[in-house]
Amino acid sequence: MSGGILHTIHGPADLHALDAARLPELCAEIRRALIAYGHHHGGHIGSNLGMVEATVALHRVFDSPRDRIVFDVSHQSYVHKMLTGRADAYLDPDRNDEVTGFTNPDESEHDQFVLGHTGTSISLACGLAKTRDMNGGNEHVIAVIGDGSLSSAIAFEGLNNAAAQGGNLIIVFNDNEMSIAEDQGGMYGPLARLRESGGIAEPNIFKAFGLDYRYVEDGNDVAALVDAFAEVRDLDHPVVVHIHTRKGLGLPVADDAADATDTSASIDVDNDDLPDDRTGDLADGDAVVAAEDLAITEGRCEANHWQNPDSAAGRPLGARKHYGQLAMAALESRFETEPGLVVISPATPGSNGITRAFRARAGKHYVDTGITEEHAVAFASGIARAGGRPVLATSATFFQRTFDQLQQELSLNHTPATLLDFGGGLSGADNTHSGAFDIAMFGNVPGLTCLAPTSEHAFLDMLAWSTGAGNDGPVVIRVPGDTILNAERAGGFPRYRQDDEKTVVAVTGTATGVIATGNTSVDGTVSPNPWNRYHITHAGSDVAILALGNEYPLGERIVAALAADHDAPIDATLIDPQQFSVIDDETLAALAANHRLAVTLEDGQLEGGWGEKITAWYANRASSPDTAPMRVLNFGAAKEFTDRVPLAELNDRYGLTVANVTARIHSSLDR
Amino acid sequence: MSGGILHTIHGPADLHALDAARLPELCAEIRRALIAYGHHHGGHIGSNLGMVEATVALHRVFDSPRDRIVFDVSHQSYVHKMLTGRADAYLDPDRNDEVTGFTNPDESEHDQFVLGHTGTSISLACGLAKTRDMNGGNEHVIAVIGDGSLSSAIAFEGLNNAAAQGGNLIIVFNDNEMSIAEDQGGMYGPLARLRESGGIAEPNIFKAFGLDYRYVEDGNDVAALVDAFAEVRDLDHPVVVHIHTRKGLGLPVADDAADATDTSASIDVDNDDLPDDRTGDLADGDAVVAAEDLAITEGRCEANHWQNPDSAAGRPLGARKHYGQLAMAALESRFETEPGLVVISPATPGSNGITRAFRARAGKHYVDTGITEEHAVAFASGIARAGGRPVLATSATFFQRTFDQLQQELSLNHTPATLLDFGGGLSGADNTHSGAFDIAMFGNVPGLTCLAPTSEHAFLDMLAWSTGAGNDGPVVIRVPGDTILNAERAGGFPRYRQDDEKTVVAVTGTATGVIATGNTSVDGTVSPNPWNRYHITHAGSDVAILALGNEYPLGERIVAALAADHDAPIDATLIDPQQFSVIDDETLAALAANHRLAVTLEDGQLEGGWGEKITAWYANRASSPDTAPMRVLNFGAAKEFTDRVPLAELNDRYGLTVANVTARIHSSLDR
């Protein structure tokens, strides 16, 4: 791939100096470069292919970084990066890692923000424009947002505020008729009629928000786009430039035709099929290809390519899809007899094992709400209030959008909705998609039951319970991650046996500790929630390892290493807490009788997380004067954002390793 | 006040049986009852007066509770309550406490949800309708939402999903041309033209979302409303019934005229002017009267009455308004020389001391974004990215809407926006407006500086720093509450002196502890944030009281009580942590040299909060074998929702009293 013109473009000034007649040639070159990049690296190629001409036109008409362009989600910013001094990172495979999959001010002065969540570009642009106007400046501010992102709550707030604010603000509405999966929502019908009418038909949603409006039917005609942007560049009020683009334009005809005719080309990718250092590119604002959904064809770049499908061929499913598919299968088997059982996905089905085949079979038992996490939680609460059983599946990072609905509509109203929390925990994700914050978010909401299964059986039992008649309140289940799946595939400790479903166990206060089994706790009462008691999977003494969720396999290895220590072997107790919403007082109290040290492990942020609650519980309990205080050590993540740091490196950084934890245990016992 | 017809209405069946000709008489009676209730009790009378006819018509046409009516925010549900068996609670002053200010399923089967935040009714109704359709039911589902609430993010997601879902769903759009303050946003112009045209004009925002639409010009004509609702009752698809109502209709002409002509009748109330047991009625979806904004007139019920203004006359301002006004005054003095300094309020200015007079003077330095917290945070980040200095003021409970924007647009992007967090902490608030969760939310966001001033001077210094050149990142300032204000008014300990602004102090590792003053920490480095070090206001030994924010006055009293103990006086150290975002390792380490016990006090949820971080820090630090471990006790709130529980009762419940804390300290030291 040789970049004839592209190699001469080091920034917008070079683009401004280019003969206008050569712009189509430049676009063709960029398109070829994107397709080649897609083959060897992967990425959000489909949306970037659709945005080639618009991005060239933006940088032709405007003067970045003085003029400020905000890309919504920013997964479609590859062409922008190519035109602002970073073309070599796309042209030279050895330099691919020089750019992230999203805009990033640390990478270039042409990038305004680090973004990865949906719908915030208009609000951010309003802020940039506000400061300009307060300072009496005359630079231009542009927000670029897609039709999928427009379904997102905050995008509407931005539209509504833009017109009220006034002043120069150009909102480029990139309409490729696709969201991550299909576009979902009542506004897409009127939008289609708006396109068909050449931008004339009413109702016009943008005008309904008080905004000026322009339409460009061929959003891949660079000359038309240059004209359109030049026409609105100096307006003294906000305007929407609606451009109709073709996602994936430039791909081989076979792919393109398939994409154009297959309206259900929802084509999602499993984040977990990717090496950790790739997950940083995953955004929620674009469609990507899953090997399961498309034929594997060597060397071809699919319309909405994520990575070369070959690389996923023959590999087993990652945890997200594996457990997601199991959950969907379990629910599907009940659809016929349970009409109120409904699966909800806010626009990201495929990555969570909600396959197209499942969706087709599920019919009305499946609802894609579009990119609308807030609505999805309130919607689920409504379903549950009327007696239905909703199961809402999305990523930990996107549940952050729903914190207030979790509190108010769900937990305060105590409705039995089940949330499936995918991708929670540590990973090599980029800094906009980290799952490290979910325990600290969910675990501090009053009345929300937070479950952390450590096996397939526990996961499915928990799902059956939360969606069954025995549960009357909201439940979040943190879907097991790859550490659990890998441990299950490798065999290992019998962690959770099907024949002791919902067994609650507790150590007695004897010197050696024994396991008491059965559905009753030590005082004979039946637990109102079968998961509220910690599960003691190995009763030892002196040291208790409480290993939450995805860290349970690490707990197993630590217990084994402590037992194997030649100098000072320790028969440590191993506990699968099963949940992080309530403290199991009885088990913690019982442990104190024959343990000196409790160790908590979690794969999320320590501050505000789970382990510190155990520490505080022991610190604050009223113990008798002759009882030595229980020492507690907590292991988990620091309070920080991390960007595409491989998981092994994170585990080293946070001391979540057998060597570190066992060393800290010995050191603590020696004090 | 005698309820002639109303006394015969015990539920919708009685209303169905009533002669249609008597409906206006019933409405008149209800209106009189509301006005009388407003005089002696207060409440969201304005919006309820506007909704009298619509609510009567709804219960005339529909069959609650079989048909389900969801009131957005639900502050306008008084008439609904009167018609569903709860009239006496409004007619008999002795029984006022039998009803809350919002809908509540625990109170009546006619109430679908506990609600108090804005914009969720359509999503909740979609859920109710979904379950009905899955079960093949034929009951009706109705959402009632006001024009102010419609500016809220999730409301748009609901509109967009309603049409896509299909099936019977009636959205009553109650358009009284008012939000909490004025309506804000570009959509209100087209909405006004829609009203003026009798519902004909385009663009029609509801049609743009794919919804069917009806318009009722006189939304206070009960017969017209009955006809309109009957016409749409059995539609097989969602419909918006846009009713044009008059807020406050029925009040004396003087008030009514004043309200109708004064477009800036933003008329807010200070929550803190109310006794604790009243704050439960405060919602964000209605306008209420502040004594400052209207002449105090004995016996009159204002258009948007909150409580009889007489009761606030002559009383000093509560903390929200007091500190809010101080902050605005400090910022205003800089407007002339700092064009980028901008105050943002998502629709709730008055309750936070942002008076109408200030707003008028501030001009473009003040922006009301409507009820749009998500947009407001992203907007602030955009302002800051471009070099401006935004100050965003709203309630702790409403900041919950912005958790994802706090993480992504604000903290990850490290933009210097200042958030003023009003109403954080414990209070007698209702269960939808609690401020007990803010420390656990803000304090666990990486990179967000969380300040908790304990005096006016500290508050204003922190505001000056966060909005000044010395700060480059996001800051939330928890505005001091009434405990601080009362302590300042009463005198007491000199907590923070103007002459030691930004002083950082630390105890040295000596036996008695001394205060080291100056801007350098013990190792000589300059702190990058002047508030990251804890402020030791009294250096003692043995016991250290770390009293965060609003609990600082309690800390003072505890230290005094410990010193005054005749049997075993303790000269305890008192610490004002000033912030809850980072641990001051050096001060904590130094404390360990001559203290056995650390006590943390906070007026928020313990789980996920601040004190448990101190406990975990001591538990996990690598101490030398000959150092006795530091014991820690944490005092704060349980993980629970509370509903209008008086503050004194909450403090007793959580042990946040001098007697309890000192007893626990003695007991701990005796172990």
Side-chain angles (χ1 to χ4, degrees), chain B residues 257-287:
Chain B
D259 190 42
T261 57
D262 183 356
T263 56
S264 63
S266 49
I267 36 184
D268 324 282
V269 79
D270 181 351
N271 193 357
D272 302 303
D273 286 347
L274 304 169
D276 280 332
D277 61 354
R278 287 285 181 82
T279 57
D281 290 338
L282 183 65
D284 60 334
D286 195 13

Side-chain angles (χ1 to χ4, degrees), chain A residues 246-316:
Chain A
R246 290 182 61 199
K247 203 166 190 170
L249 182 64
L251 288 168
V253 174
D255 296 342
D256 194 40
D259 190 43
T261 57
D262 183 357
T263 56
S264 63
S266 49
I267 37 182
D268 324 283
V269 81
D270 181 351
N271 193 359
D272 302 304
D273 287 347
L274 303 170
D276 279 334
D277 60 354
R278 287 284 180 81
T279 56
D281 290 340
L282 184 67
D284 61 332
D286 195 12
V288 281
V289 168
E292 61 161 323
D293 287 327
L294 291 169
I296 309 286
T297 307
E298 189 177 7
R300 246 179 48 185
C301 178
E302 308 294 343
N304 297 282
H305 187 72
W306 167 247
Q307 65 171 153
N308 191 318
D310 299 344
S311 66
R315 292 177 51 193

Side-chain angles (χ1 to χ4, degrees), chain A residues 112 114 117 123 130-131 153 157 160 186 364 375 383 385 400-401 404 413 443-444 581 605 620 634 639, chain B residues 112 114 117 123 130-131 153 157 160 186 364 375 383 385 401 404 413 443-444 581 605 620 634 639:
Chain A
Q112 299 295 324
V114 183
H117 286 199
S123 300
K130 176 69 178 177
T131 294
E157 292 189 341
N160 191 35
K364 289 183 180 299
H375 165 81
I383 287 175
R385 173 67 85 217
Q400 293 181 178
R401 282 275 165 101
D404 194 48
N413 280 282
N444 295 317
S581 39
Q605 179 173 296
N620 286 281
N634 307 118
K639 188 171 121 182
Chain B
Q112 298 295 324
V114 183
H117 286 198
S123 301
K130 176 71 179 175
T131 294
E157 292 189 341
N160 191 35
K364 289 184 180 300
H375 165 80
I383 287 175
R385 173 67 87 219
R401 284 274 166 101
D404 194 49
N413 280 282
N444 294 317
S581 39
Q605 180 173 295
N620 285 280
N634 307 117
K639 188 172 121 182

